[in-house]
């Protein structure tokens, strides 16, 4: 039985998930440019930093965006049901 291992990919990689962010008051608005169909979607966006983590659950056919308070430095994670985990440092 073959085991599939999904590797973490960098959000900056070409042909992978791309992420845009915009500062709004004391939060950062994150938009991930990715399909959100029933068959292919981002399951969640999470931020892991020096002061803890926050997670936003996403749903098929919904928007692929979230607002987080980004303090210090850390990583933004996205999980695609087809491609696995992707991340980007902030």
């Amino acid at each position: 039985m073959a085991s599939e291992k999904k590797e973490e990919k960098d959000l900056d990689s070409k042909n992978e998930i791309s992420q845009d962010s915009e500062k709004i008051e004391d939060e950062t608005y994150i938009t991930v440019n990715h399909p959100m169909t029933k068959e292919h979607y981002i399951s969640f966006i999470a931020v892991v930093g020096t002061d803890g983590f926050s997670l936003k659950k996403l749903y098929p056919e919904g928007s692929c965006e979230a607002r987080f308070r980004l303090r210090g430095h850390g990583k933004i994670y996205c999980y695609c049901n087809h491609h696995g985990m992707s991340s980007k440092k902030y």
Side-chain angles (χ1 to χ4, degrees):
M1 184 156 113
S3 172
E4 281 189 42
K5 183 179 178 186
K6 293 185 177 181
E7 296 181 15
E8 183 178 315
K9 297 178 176 90
D10 189 344
L11 284 175
D12 289 330
S13 300
K14 288 186 178 183
N15 301 322
E16 295 300 329
I17 300 166
S18 64
Q19 167 259 324
D20 298 316
S21 62
E22 176 184 354
K23 189 80 170 164
I24 300 173
E25 296 174 3
D26 63 339
E27 295 181 322
T28 302
Y29 178 75
I30 297 169
T31 304
V32 180
N33 301 316
H34 189 277
M36 290 296 285
T37 65
K38 288 182 181 180
E39 297 80 24
H40 187 191
Y41 59 92
I42 297 293
S43 179
F44 68 83
I45 302 172
V47 172
V48 179
T50 54
D51 62 341
F53 77 95
S54 294
L55 183 132
K56 169 79 187 263
K57 174 75 175 124
L58 303 175
Y59 299 94
E61 300 183 345
S63 60
C64 196
E65 56 194 25
R67 284 175 71 160
F68 296 104
R69 285 194 171 98
L70 304 181
R71 296 187 187 115
H73 61 278
K75 275 190 164 181
I76 299 169
Y77 292 91
C78 296
Y79 183 79
C80 170
N81 70 324
H82 279 241
H83 303 114
M85 190 74 70
S86 298
S87 66
K88 182 176 185 174
K89 292 181 181 179
Y90 70 86

